[in-house]
Amino acid sequence: MKFNKKLENIDTYEAGKPIELVVREFGIEPKDIIKLASNENPYGCSINVQHAVTEIVPNMAMYPDDSMMKLKEGLSERFDVAEENLIIGSGSDQVIEFLMHAKADENSKILINSVTFAMYEIYAKHVGAEIIKTASQEHNLDEFYALYKEKNPDIIFLCTPNNPTGDAIDAAAIMEFLAKIDSDTLVVVDGAYMEYAQYKDQSKSVSPKELIEKFDNVIYLGTFSKAYGLGGMRVGYGISDARIIKELYKLRPPFNVTTLSLEAASTALKDEEFVNECIALNFEEMKRYEEFANKQKLDIIESYTNFVTLCFCDNIDSTQLSDELLRRGMIVRNLSGYGMNAIRVTVGTKEQNDRFFELVQELL
């Protein structure tokens, strides 16, 4: 059987190893496994979300509200944008897929950071586009601009804070960069971890409203999978000029977000107190990772997210360390596939982090 030739050079995206697989592979009890690999909120979602979802379970025979009115109204109020500036996806990565198919083809060029969210490259390969990468590990906008002038890309992806490194770009620098980009080049500002960045440092806080008021070629992406604790519900969104949103809707399948997911996201959006509590705890625990890294003489990238990236010297192999942690029931993300001798670790609860420190110190 023949398949689309574009698939030949695409690697399957590998999500963080699930707890169920570790149970089967190593015979470890589920209660003894700690997953710090996928940047989920370790405190889960708010009790209000749980109650709201439970209440609508009897309505599961009905299709979701495809207008997504309730969630759009909430996002419109939160960001002070019009509903026609919004599109909702099954995770923000679905919106990335829409963007790629709306703007790019085999004659297009896509500019991304050398180390960043893998789905940018995978979706670019879906349409056969050429992928251009910076040399720098962290976002360097001067380098981005030089490559933009040289290569004339059709889409530019800025992931801030960046996954999997955790660094963030100053909002003012992003605005200066966008002012130099022509209006036919689509710029994607992926703010999946923005709630964490703006809590830690307001200079990193990107305003979607300001973006789309000043530039009609920019789309901002957000998600409910991180700070809001709804990774299992798969809800993301894009905020952009109405003309761009209209084109994306031509690619959106009907009922692409479930009834449960829409209700969960709509309720979570109202519970700012819970989200802020989770973010505050995250940065309290992150200080312990910084202290641990200093004590163990490990390099740690300053993070504006809910994860940390620990980089190793040649005498420590990230793959071997990740495997040994896995055998002990600790799931982290090995970054060797990104060309880094490093691991990415979700900042967990105090107890989860205690166990991580204990195991890594033992192994080192």
Side-chain angles (χ1 to χ4, degrees):
M1 182 181 293
K2 294 181 179 180
F3 294 97
N4 189 327
K5 288 188 176 181
K6 292 185 178 72
L7 300 179
E8 293 176 359
N9 298 317
I10 299 177
D11 295 324
T12 302
Y13 178 79
E14 292 189 19
K17 191 178 285 287
I19 290 174
E20 294 78 8
L21 191 58
V22 178
V23 170
R24 289 199 300 270
E25 284 187 8
F26 301 105
I28 304 172
E29 291 293 321
K31 64 180 179 62
D32 296 324
I33 298 173
I34 297 174
K35 184 185 178 189
L36 299 178
S38 299
N39 306 337
E40 296 128 331
N41 185 335
Y43 308 101
C45 62
S46 79
I47 193 69
N48 294 335
V49 171
Q50 296 174 45
H51 288 161
V53 170
T54 301
E55 288 175 5
I56 64 167
V57 166
N59 300 327
M60 289 302 96
M62 307 293 289
Y63 281 112
D65 169 17
D66 202 43
S67 73
M68 307 185 193
M69 181 179 66
K70 187 176 180 180
L71 180 53
K72 283 186 177 180
E73 287 178 347
L75 289 168
S76 176
E77 182 179 348
R78 167 61 58 85
F79 294 109
D80 192 20
V81 297
E83 291 180 30
E84 56 262 33
N85 296 125
L86 292 161
I87 187 167
I88 314 296
S90 178
S92 57
D93 54 300
Q94 186 179 47
V95 183
I96 296 169
E97 183 180 18
F98 296 161
L99 289 166
M100 199 66 69
H101 285 275
K103 178 66 176 169
D105 57 27
E106 62 273 9
N107 299 311
S108 302
K109 298 175 182 177
I110 312 299
L111 175 57
I112 63 175
N113 203 58
S114 64
V115 178
T116 195
F117 185 41
M119 291 309 299
Y120 305 152
E121 182 170 351
I122 290 174
Y123 284 134
K125 288 181 176 179
H126 281 191
V127 299
E130 178 185 349
I131 299 151
I132 303 162
K133 296 184 180 182
T134 63
S136 302
Q137 178 177 287
E138 298 181 17
H139 281 66
N140 182 323
L141 292 184
D142 289 337
E143 190 175 347
F144 265 87
Y145 185 66
L147 285 170
Y148 159 75
K149 293 295 288 183
E150 178 187 352
K151 302 291 187 178
N152 190 29
D154 297 87
I155 306 177
I156 300 172
F157 283 92
L158 300 178
C159 187
T160 182
N162 189 34
N163 176 22
T165 54
D167 60 292
I169 313 169
D170 282 349
I174 292 176
M175 300 302 284
E176 290 176 10
F177 175 78
L178 293 174
K180 298 185 290 185
I181 306 301
D182 72 89
S183 60
D184 195 48
T185 301
L186 175 65
V187 182
V188 183
V189 178
D190 190 342
Y193 299 89
M194 187 56 66
E195 290 84 1
Y196 294 96
Q198 63 191 18
Y199 182 94
K200 180 176 181 177
D201 185 347
Q202 273 295 312
S203 72
K204 311 294 185 184
S205 179
V206 176
S207 164
K209 180 183 180 182
E210 186 178 5
L211 283 182
I212 67 172
E213 282 183 345
K214 291 188 176 181
F215 309 104
D216 61 5
N217 62 324
V218 178
I219 184 166
Y220 175 91
L221 304 180
T223 184
F224 286 89
S225 296
K226 309 304 178 185
Y228 291 95
L230 295 179
M233 288 295 186
R234 307 301 297 124
V235 187
Y237 54 89
I239 303 176
S240 188
D241 182 85
R243 181 175 56 89
I244 292 176
I245 297 298
K246 183 178 179 181
E247 293 302 311
L248 299 185
Y249 260 92
K250 296 175 182 179
L251 295 159
R252 187 186 72 89
F255 312 115
N256 63 315
V257 181
T258 71
T259 300
L260 291 177
S261 299
L262 290 170
E263 184 66 23
S266 299
T267 306
L269 197 59
K270 301 173 185 175
D271 205 341
E272 286 189 67
E273 183 178 353
F274 172 81
V275 173
N276 288 332
E277 286 175 0
C278 292
I279 294 174
L281 288 169
N282 171 78
F283 285 114
E284 284 180 21
E285 287 297 308
M286 188 179 289
K287 291 176 184 176
R288 300 179 64 211
Y289 276 87
E290 293 166 351
E291 292 167 359
F292 178 80
N294 290 333
K295 185 177 179 180
Q296 298 296 326
K297 294 181 171 55
L298 302 175
D299 289 332
I300 184 170
I301 298 174
E302 183 177 9
S303 176
Y304 294 83
T305 65
N306 66 340
F307 63 83
V308 295
T309 299
L310 298 172
C311 305
F312 306 119
C313 300
D314 293 339
N315 61 324
I316 301 171
D317 182 80
S318 66
T319 301
Q320 183 179 355
L321 179 63
S322 299
D323 289 345
E324 291 298 332
L325 286 171
L326 197 59
R327 294 176 188 281
R328 291 160 173 78
M330 174 66 67
I331 311 172
V332 299
R333 191 62 179 259
N334 176 25
L335 298 183
S336 62
Y338 290 87
M340 299 175 66
N341 184 25
I343 59 172
R344 189 191 69 189
V345 188
T346 306
V347 177
T349 64
K350 182 182 184 302
E351 294 72 24
Q352 291 173 331
N353 299 329
D354 285 344
R355 181 60 175 157
F356 173 82
F357 299 143
E358 177 187 347
L359 288 175
V360 173
Q361 185 168 346
E362 172 190 320
L363 290 169
L364 292 181

PDB file of all heavy atoms in Angstrom, residues 92-123:
ATOM      1  N   SER A  92      -4.033  23.579  21.774  1.00  0.00           N
ATOM      2  CA  SER A  92      -3.525  24.638  20.891  1.00  0.00           C
ATOM      3  C   SER A  92      -2.769  24.062  19.709  1.00  0.00           C
ATOM      4  O   SER A  92      -2.635  24.711  18.667  1.00  0.00           O
ATOM      5  CB  SER A  92      -2.627  25.606  21.675  1.00  0.00           C
ATOM      6  OG  SER A  92      -1.557  24.920  22.299  1.00  0.00           O
ATOM      7  N   ASP A  93      -2.301  22.814  19.826  1.00  0.00           N
ATOM      8  CA  ASP A  93      -1.596  22.213  18.689  1.00  0.00           C
ATOM      9  C   ASP A  93      -2.533  21.977  17.504  1.00  0.00           C
ATOM     10  O   ASP A  93      -2.087  21.970  16.357  1.00  0.00           O
ATOM     11  CB  ASP A  93      -0.888  20.917  19.104  1.00  0.00           C
ATOM     12  CG  ASP A  93      -1.803  19.923  19.775  1.00  0.00           C
ATOM     13  OD1 ASP A  93      -2.373  20.268  20.822  1.00  0.00           O
ATOM     14  OD2 ASP A  93      -1.942  18.801  19.264  1.00  0.00           O
ATOM     15  N   GLN A  94      -3.843  21.803  17.758  1.00  0.00           N
ATOM     16  CA  GLN A  94      -4.761  21.688  16.625  1.00  0.00           C
ATOM     17  C   GLN A  94      -4.856  23.013  15.876  1.00  0.00           C
ATOM     18  O   GLN A  94      -4.954  23.030  14.644  1.00  0.00           O
ATOM     19  CB  GLN A  94      -6.154  21.251  17.075  1.00  0.00           C
ATOM     20  CG  GLN A  94      -7.078  20.981  15.885  1.00  0.00           C
ATOM     21  CD  GLN A  94      -8.468  20.532  16.273  1.00  0.00           C
ATOM     22  OE1 GLN A  94      -9.106  21.129  17.142  1.00  0.00           O
ATOM     23  NE2 GLN A  94      -8.951  19.476  15.619  1.00  0.00           N
ATOM     24  N   VAL A  95      -4.794  24.117  16.605  1.00  0.00           N
ATOM     25  CA  VAL A  95      -4.804  25.430  15.951  1.00  0.00           C
ATOM     26  C   VAL A  95      -3.525  25.594  15.122  1.00  0.00           C
ATOM     27  O   VAL A  95      -3.557  26.166  14.024  1.00  0.00           O
ATOM     28  CB  VAL A  95      -4.942  26.564  16.986  1.00  0.00           C
ATOM     29  CG1 VAL A  95      -5.013  27.911  16.274  1.00  0.00           C
ATOM     30  CG2 VAL A  95      -6.177  26.369  17.852  1.00  0.00           C
ATOM     31  N   ILE A  96      -2.396  25.083  15.618  1.00  0.00           N
ATOM     32  CA  ILE A  96      -1.146  25.118  14.849  1.00  0.00           C
ATOM     33  C   ILE A  96      -1.323  24.347  13.536  1.00  0.00           C
ATOM     34  O   ILE A  96      -0.886  24.789  12.467  1.00  0.00           O
ATOM     35  CB  ILE A  96       0.022  24.521  15.661  1.00  0.00           C
ATOM     36  CG1 ILE A  96       0.293  25.368  16.901  1.00  0.00           C
ATOM     37  CG2 ILE A  96       1.292  24.425  14.801  1.00  0.00           C
ATOM     38  CD1 ILE A  96       1.247  24.716  17.893  1.00  0.00           C
ATOM     39  N   GLU A  97      -1.992  23.216  13.613  1.00  0.00           N
ATOM     40  CA  GLU A  97      -2.252  22.424  12.406  1.00  0.00           C
ATOM     41  C   GLU A  97      -3.106  23.209  11.419  1.00  0.00           C
ATOM     42  O   GLU A  97      -2.828  23.216  10.206  1.00  0.00           O
ATOM     43  CB  GLU A  97      -2.939  21.113  12.783  1.00  0.00           C
ATOM     44  CG  GLU A  97      -3.178  20.192  11.592  1.00  0.00           C
ATOM     45  CD  GLU A  97      -3.858  18.894  11.992  1.00  0.00           C
ATOM     46  OE1 GLU A  97      -4.449  18.843  13.091  1.00  0.00           O
ATOM     47  OE2 GLU A  97      -3.813  17.949  11.192  1.00  0.00           O
ATOM     48  N   PHE A  98      -4.143  23.874  11.916  1.00  0.00           N
ATOM     49  CA  PHE A  98      -4.972  24.708  11.043  1.00  0.00           C
ATOM     50  C   PHE A  98      -4.119  25.772  10.352  1.00  0.00           C
ATOM     51  O   PHE A  98      -4.240  26.006   9.143  1.00  0.00           O
ATOM     52  CB  PHE A  98      -6.072  25.419  11.851  1.00  0.00           C
ATOM     53  CG  PHE A  98      -7.082  24.516  12.490  1.00  0.00           C
ATOM     54  CD1 PHE A  98      -7.861  24.986  13.546  1.00  0.00           C
ATOM     55  CD2 PHE A  98      -7.285  23.216  12.064  1.00  0.00           C
ATOM     56  CE1 PHE A  98      -8.821  24.177  14.147  1.00  0.00           C
ATOM     57  CE2 PHE A  98      -8.233  22.394  12.659  1.00  0.00           C
ATOM     58  CZ  PHE A  98      -9.001  22.885  13.718  1.00  0.00           C
ATOM     59  N   LEU A  99      -3.277  26.433  11.131  1.00  0.00           N
ATOM     60  CA  LEU A  99      -2.433  27.504  10.602  1.00  0.00           C
ATOM     61  C   LEU A  99      -1.533  27.002   9.481  1.00  0.00           C
ATOM     62  O   LEU A  99      -1.368  27.661   8.448  1.00  0.00           O
ATOM     63  CB  LEU A  99      -1.583  28.100  11.721  1.00  0.00           C
ATOM     64  CG  LEU A  99      -2.308  28.944  12.763  1.00  0.00           C
ATOM     65  CD1 LEU A  99      -1.415  29.172  13.970  1.00  0.00           C
ATOM     66  CD2 LEU A  99      -2.741  30.273  12.167  1.00  0.00           C
ATOM     67  N   MET A 100      -0.938  25.843   9.718  1.00  0.00           N
ATOM     68  CA  MET A 100       0.003  25.312   8.729  1.00  0.00           C
ATOM     69  C   MET A 100      -0.705  25.016   7.406  1.00  0.00           C
ATOM     70  O   MET A 100      -0.211  25.347   6.324  1.00  0.00           O
ATOM     71  CB  MET A 100       0.663  24.049   9.284  1.00  0.00           C
ATOM     72  CG  MET A 100       1.941  23.676   8.577  1.00  0.00           C
ATOM     73  SD  MET A 100       3.271  24.893   8.820  1.00  0.00           S
ATOM     74  CE  MET A 100       3.649  24.661  10.548  1.00  0.00           C
ATOM     75  N   HIS A 101      -1.876  24.418   7.491  1.00  0.00           N
ATOM     76  CA  HIS A 101      -2.604  24.073   6.265  1.00  0.00           C
ATOM     77  C   HIS A 101      -3.213  25.307   5.604  1.00  0.00           C
ATOM     78  O   HIS A 101      -3.417  25.323   4.386  1.00  0.00           O
ATOM     79  CB  HIS A 101      -3.687  23.041   6.572  1.00  0.00           C
ATOM     80  CG  HIS A 101      -3.151  21.660   6.802  1.00  0.00           C
ATOM     81  ND1 HIS A 101      -2.896  20.771   5.787  1.00  0.00           N
ATOM     82  CD2 HIS A 101      -2.781  21.031   7.940  1.00  0.00           C
ATOM     83  CE1 HIS A 101      -2.410  19.643   6.272  1.00  0.00           C
ATOM     84  NE2 HIS A 101      -2.332  19.771   7.589  1.00  0.00           N
ATOM     85  N   ALA A 102      -3.489  26.334   6.392  1.00  0.00           N
ATOM     86  CA  ALA A 102      -4.075  27.555   5.822  1.00  0.00           C
ATOM     87  C   ALA A 102      -3.040  28.405   5.108  1.00  0.00           C
ATOM     88  O   ALA A 102      -3.360  29.097   4.133  1.00  0.00           O
ATOM     89  CB  ALA A 102      -4.742  28.372   6.932  1.00  0.00           C
ATOM     90  N   LYS A 103      -1.792  28.365   5.571  1.00  0.00           N
ATOM     91  CA  LYS A 103      -0.792  29.312   5.079  1.00  0.00           C
ATOM     92  C   LYS A 103       0.333  28.672   4.270  1.00  0.00           C
ATOM     93  O   LYS A 103       0.933  29.330   3.413  1.00  0.00           O
ATOM     94  CB  LYS A 103      -0.206  30.060   6.287  1.00  0.00           C
ATOM     95  CG  LYS A 103       0.889  31.070   5.984  1.00  0.00           C
ATOM     96  CD  LYS A 103       0.382  32.255   5.156  1.00  0.00           C
ATOM     97  CE  LYS A 103       1.498  33.282   4.971  1.00  0.00           C
ATOM     98  NZ  LYS A 103       1.135  34.299   3.975  1.00  0.00           N
ATOM     99  N   ALA A 104       0.627  27.402   4.527  1.00  0.00           N
ATOM    100  CA  ALA A 104       1.842  26.809   3.949  1.00  0.00           C
ATOM    101  C   ALA A 104       1.552  25.645   3.006  1.00  0.00           C
ATOM    102  O   ALA A 104       0.511  25.007   3.070  1.00  0.00           O
ATOM    103  CB  ALA A 104       2.760  26.341   5.078  1.00  0.00           C
ATOM    104  N   ASP A 105       2.526  25.401   2.113  1.00  0.00           N
ATOM    105  CA  ASP A 105       2.509  24.230   1.242  1.00  0.00           C
ATOM    106  C   ASP A 105       3.950  23.842   0.939  1.00  0.00           C
ATOM    107  O   ASP A 105       4.875  24.299   1.612  1.00  0.00           O
ATOM    108  CB  ASP A 105       1.704  24.500  -0.038  1.00  0.00           C
ATOM    109  CG  ASP A 105       2.235  25.700  -0.822  1.00  0.00           C
ATOM    110  OD1 ASP A 105       3.448  26.013  -0.712  1.00  0.00           O
ATOM    111  OD2 ASP A 105       1.449  26.325  -1.562  1.00  0.00           O
ATOM    112  N   GLU A 106       4.152  23.008  -0.089  1.00  0.00           N
ATOM    113  CA  GLU A 106       5.510  22.517  -0.391  1.00  0.00           C
ATOM    114  C   GLU A 106       6.453  23.625  -0.874  1.00  0.00           C
ATOM    115  O   GLU A 106       7.674  23.416  -0.937  1.00  0.00           O
ATOM    116  CB  GLU A 106       5.460  21.388  -1.427  1.00  0.00           C
ATOM    117  CG  GLU A 106       4.899  21.772  -2.780  1.00  0.00           C
ATOM    118  CD  GLU A 106       3.383  21.658  -2.848  1.00  0.00           C
ATOM    119  OE1 GLU A 106       2.762  21.445  -1.791  1.00  0.00           O
ATOM    120  OE2 GLU A 106       2.837  21.772  -3.961  1.00  0.00           O
ATOM    121  N   ASN A 107       5.932  24.770  -1.179  1.00  0.00           N
ATOM    122  CA  ASN A 107       6.775  25.891  -1.623  1.00  0.00           C
ATOM    123  C   ASN A 107       7.066  26.889  -0.498  1.00  0.00           C
ATOM    124  O   ASN A 107       7.708  27.915  -0.734  1.00  0.00           O
ATOM    125  CB  ASN A 107       6.101  26.622  -2.787  1.00  0.00           C
ATOM    126  CG  ASN A 107       5.901  25.724  -3.992  1.00  0.00           C
ATOM    127  OD1 ASN A 107       6.824  25.047  -4.429  1.00  0.00           O
ATOM    128  ND2 ASN A 107       4.687  25.707  -4.523  1.00  0.00           N
ATOM    129  N   SER A 108       6.606  26.580   0.697  1.00  0.00           N
ATOM    130  CA  SER A 108       6.711  27.514   1.815  1.00  0.00           C
ATOM    131  C   SER A 108       7.938  27.250   2.677  1.00  0.00           C
ATOM    132  O   SER A 108       8.536  26.169   2.641  1.00  0.00           O
ATOM    133  CB  SER A 108       5.454  27.432   2.688  1.00  0.00           C
ATOM    134  OG  SER A 108       4.297  27.707   1.928  1.00  0.00           O
ATOM    135  N   LYS A 109       8.282  28.264   3.480  1.00  0.00           N
ATOM    136  CA  LYS A 109       9.377  28.155   4.436  1.00  0.00           C
ATOM    137  C   LYS A 109       8.853  28.506   5.831  1.00  0.00           C
ATOM    138  O   LYS A 109       8.107  29.471   5.988  1.00  0.00           O
ATOM    139  CB  LYS A 109      10.524  29.095   4.064  1.00  0.00           C
ATOM    140  CG  LYS A 109      11.148  28.795   2.707  1.00  0.00           C
ATOM    141  CD  LYS A 109      12.199  29.835   2.344  1.00  0.00           C
ATOM    142  CE  LYS A 109      12.781  29.568   0.966  1.00  0.00           C
ATOM    143  NZ  LYS A 109      13.763  30.616   0.578  1.00  0.00           N
ATOM    144  N   ILE A 110       9.290  27.723   6.808  1.00  0.00           N
ATOM    145  CA  ILE A 110       8.850  27.907   8.184  1.00  0.00           C
ATOM    146  C   ILE A 110      10.079  28.166   9.049  1.00  0.00           C
ATOM    147  O   ILE A 110      11.023  27.381   9.048  1.00  0.00           O
ATOM    148  CB  ILE A 110       8.113  26.656   8.715  1.00  0.00           C
ATOM    149  CG1 ILE A 110       7.064  26.161   7.711  1.00  0.00           C
ATOM    150  CG2 ILE A 110       7.511  26.928  10.084  1.00  0.00           C
ATOM    151  CD1 ILE A 110       5.975  27.134   7.400  1.00  0.00           C
ATOM    152  N   LEU A 111      10.074  29.264   9.795  1.00  0.00           N
ATOM    153  CA  LEU A 111      11.215  29.626  10.649  1.00  0.00           C
ATOM    154  C   LEU A 111      10.880  29.332  12.104  1.00  0.00           C
ATOM    155  O   LEU A 111       9.897  29.845  12.642  1.00  0.00           O
ATOM    156  CB  LEU A 111      11.541  31.112  10.466  1.00  0.00           C
ATOM    157  CG  LEU A 111      12.638  31.698  11.365  1.00  0.00           C
ATOM    158  CD1 LEU A 111      13.962  30.945  11.214  1.00  0.00           C
ATOM    159  CD2 LEU A 111      12.825  33.189  11.056  1.00  0.00           C
ATOM    160  N   ILE A 112      11.725  28.497  12.744  1.00  0.00           N
ATOM    161  CA  ILE A 112      11.519  28.132  14.143  1.00  0.00           C
ATOM    162  C   ILE A 112      12.850  28.177  14.890  1.00  0.00           C
ATOM    163  O   ILE A 112      13.924  28.211  14.280  1.00  0.00           O
ATOM    164  CB  ILE A 112      10.912  26.716  14.289  1.00  0.00           C
ATOM    165  CG1 ILE A 112      11.869  25.652  13.740  1.00  0.00           C
ATOM    166  CG2 ILE A 112       9.559  26.636  13.597  1.00  0.00           C
ATOM    167  CD1 ILE A 112      11.388  24.218  13.953  1.00  0.00           C
ATOM    168  N   ASN A 113      12.765  28.164  16.200  1.00  0.00           N
ATOM    169  CA  ASN A 113      13.965  28.102  17.025  1.00  0.00           C
ATOM    170  C   ASN A 113      14.588  26.713  16.924  1.00  0.00           C
ATOM    171  O   ASN A 113      13.898  25.726  16.658  1.00  0.00           O
ATOM    172  CB  ASN A 113      13.614  28.416  18.483  1.00  0.00           C
ATOM    173  CG  ASN A 113      14.809  28.901  19.271  1.00  0.00           C
ATOM    174  OD1 ASN A 113      15.423  29.902  18.906  1.00  0.00           O
ATOM    175  ND2 ASN A 113      15.162  28.208  20.326  1.00  0.00           N
ATOM    176  N   SER A 114      15.893  26.606  17.166  1.00  0.00           N
ATOM    177  CA  SER A 114      16.569  25.316  17.036  1.00  0.00           C
ATOM    178  C   SER A 114      16.039  24.291  18.026  1.00  0.00           C
ATOM    179  O   SER A 114      15.942  23.102  17.723  1.00  0.00           O
ATOM    180  CB  SER A 114      18.074  25.478  17.231  1.00  0.00           C
ATOM    181  OG  SER A 114      18.359  25.908  18.550  1.00  0.00           O
ATOM    182  N   VAL A 115      15.689  24.743  19.231  1.00  0.00           N
ATOM    183  CA  VAL A 115      15.102  23.867  20.247  1.00  0.00           C
ATOM    184  C   VAL A 115      13.756  24.468  20.637  1.00  0.00           C
ATOM    185  O   VAL A 115      13.695  25.536  21.239  1.00  0.00           O
ATOM    186  CB  VAL A 115      16.009  23.759  21.494  1.00  0.00           C
ATOM    187  CG1 VAL A 115      15.352  22.870  22.552  1.00  0.00           C
ATOM    188  CG2 VAL A 115      17.382  23.211  21.120  1.00  0.00           C
ATOM    189  N   THR A 116      12.676  23.793  20.274  1.00  0.00           N
ATOM    190  CA  THR A 116      11.346  24.334  20.563  1.00  0.00           C
ATOM    191  C   THR A 116      10.315  23.222  20.429  1.00  0.00           C
ATOM    192  O   THR A 116      10.664  22.048  20.211  1.00  0.00           O
ATOM    193  CB  THR A 116      11.027  25.522  19.629  1.00  0.00           C
ATOM    194  OG1 THR A 116       9.922  26.249  20.141  1.00  0.00           O
ATOM    195  CG2 THR A 116      10.755  25.078  18.199  1.00  0.00           C
ATOM    196  N   PHE A 117       9.040  23.557  20.542  1.00  0.00           N
ATOM    197  CA  PHE A 117       7.956  22.580  20.489  1.00  0.00           C
ATOM    198  C   PHE A 117       8.015  21.796  19.182  1.00  0.00           C
ATOM    199  O   PHE A 117       7.979  22.365  18.090  1.00  0.00           O
ATOM    200  CB  PHE A 117       6.629  23.304  20.629  1.00  0.00           C
ATOM    201  CG  PHE A 117       5.419  22.413  20.705  1.00  0.00           C
ATOM    202  CD1 PHE A 117       5.433  21.243  21.442  1.00  0.00           C
ATOM    203  CD2 PHE A 117       4.245  22.762  20.049  1.00  0.00           C
ATOM    204  CE1 PHE A 117       4.316  20.427  21.516  1.00  0.00           C
ATOM    205  CE2 PHE A 117       3.120  21.963  20.120  1.00  0.00           C
ATOM    206  CZ  PHE A 117       3.154  20.786  20.856  1.00  0.00           C
ATOM    207  N   ALA A 118       8.074  20.472  19.289  1.00  0.00           N
ATOM    208  CA  ALA A 118       8.318  19.614  18.132  1.00  0.00           C
ATOM    209  C   ALA A 118       7.211  19.656  17.089  1.00  0.00           C
ATOM    210  O   ALA A 118       7.460  19.416  15.901  1.00  0.00           O
ATOM    211  CB  ALA A 118       8.527  18.167  18.597  1.00  0.00           C
ATOM    212  N   MET A 119       5.983  19.992  17.491  1.00  0.00           N
ATOM    213  CA  MET A 119       4.877  19.934  16.542  1.00  0.00           C
ATOM    214  C   MET A 119       4.963  21.004  15.463  1.00  0.00           C
ATOM    215  O   MET A 119       4.351  20.847  14.405  1.00  0.00           O
ATOM    216  CB  MET A 119       3.539  20.035  17.273  1.00  0.00           C
ATOM    217  CG  MET A 119       3.200  18.819  18.124  1.00  0.00           C
ATOM    218  SD  MET A 119       3.351  17.228  17.248  1.00  0.00           S
ATOM    219  CE  MET A 119       2.154  17.427  15.939  1.00  0.00           C
ATOM    220  N   TYR A 120       5.710  22.079  15.681  1.00  0.00           N
ATOM    221  CA  TYR A 120       5.884  23.068  14.608  1.00  0.00           C
ATOM    222  C   TYR A 120       6.524  22.387  13.396  1.00  0.00           C
ATOM    223  O   TYR A 120       6.071  22.541  12.257  1.00  0.00           O
ATOM    224  CB  TYR A 120       6.790  24.220  15.038  1.00  0.00           C
ATOM    225  CG  TYR A 120       6.387  24.954  16.296  1.00  0.00           C
ATOM    226  CD1 TYR A 120       7.347  25.579  17.087  1.00  0.00           C
ATOM    227  CD2 TYR A 120       5.053  25.038  16.696  1.00  0.00           C
ATOM    228  CE1 TYR A 120       6.997  26.268  18.246  1.00  0.00           C
ATOM    229  CE2 TYR A 120       4.699  25.721  17.850  1.00  0.00           C
ATOM    230  CZ  TYR A 120       5.681  26.331  18.619  1.00  0.00           C
ATOM    231  OH  TYR A 120       5.340  27.006  19.758  1.00  0.00           O
ATOM    232  N   GLU A 121       7.587  21.648  13.650  1.00  0.00           N
ATOM    233  CA  GLU A 121       8.305  20.973  12.569  1.00  0.00           C
ATOM    234  C   GLU A 121       7.479  19.844  11.963  1.00  0.00           C
ATOM    235  O   GLU A 121       7.445  19.658  10.741  1.00  0.00           O
ATOM    236  CB  GLU A 121       9.641  20.435  13.088  1.00  0.00           C
ATOM    237  CG  GLU A 121      10.468  19.756  12.014  1.00  0.00           C
ATOM    238  CD  GLU A 121      11.893  19.449  12.470  1.00  0.00           C
ATOM    239  OE1 GLU A 121      12.289  19.922  13.567  1.00  0.00           O
ATOM    240  OE2 GLU A 121      12.616  18.752  11.730  1.00  0.00           O
ATOM    241  N   ILE A 122       6.797  19.084  12.809  1.00  0.00           N
ATOM    242  CA  ILE A 122       6.003  17.959  12.314  1.00  0.00           C
ATOM    243  C   ILE A 122       4.876  18.441  11.402  1.00  0.00           C
ATOM    244  O   ILE A 122       4.666  17.901  10.303  1.00  0.00           O
ATOM    245  CB  ILE A 122       5.445  17.139  13.499  1.00  0.00           C
ATOM    246  CG1 ILE A 122       6.593  16.394  14.193  1.00  0.00           C
ATOM    247  CG2 ILE A 122       4.376  16.151  13.026  1.00  0.00           C
ATOM    248  CD1 ILE A 122       6.189  15.668  15.457  1.00  0.00           C
ATOM    249  N   TYR A 123       4.163  19.477  11.816  1.00  0.00           N
ATOM    250  CA  TYR A 123       3.081  19.991  10.968  1.00  0.00           C
ATOM    251  C   TYR A 123       3.623  20.632   9.692  1.00  0.00           C
ATOM    252  O   TYR A 123       2.981  20.578   8.636  1.00  0.00           O
ATOM    253  CB  TYR A 123       2.228  20.998  11.739  1.00  0.00           C
ATOM    254  CG  TYR A 123       1.285  20.361  12.734  1.00  0.00           C
ATOM    255  CD1 TYR A 123       1.156  20.863  14.026  1.00  0.00           C
ATOM    256  CD2 TYR A 123       0.504  19.257  12.386  1.00  0.00           C
ATOM    257  CE1 TYR A 123       0.284  20.285  14.944  1.00  0.00           C
ATOM    258  CE2 TYR A 123      -0.358  18.674  13.297  1.00  0.00           C
ATOM    259  CZ  TYR A 123      -0.461  19.195  14.570  1.00  0.00           C
ATOM    260  OH  TYR A 123      -1.326  18.615  15.472  1.00  0.00           O
TER     261      TYR A 123
END
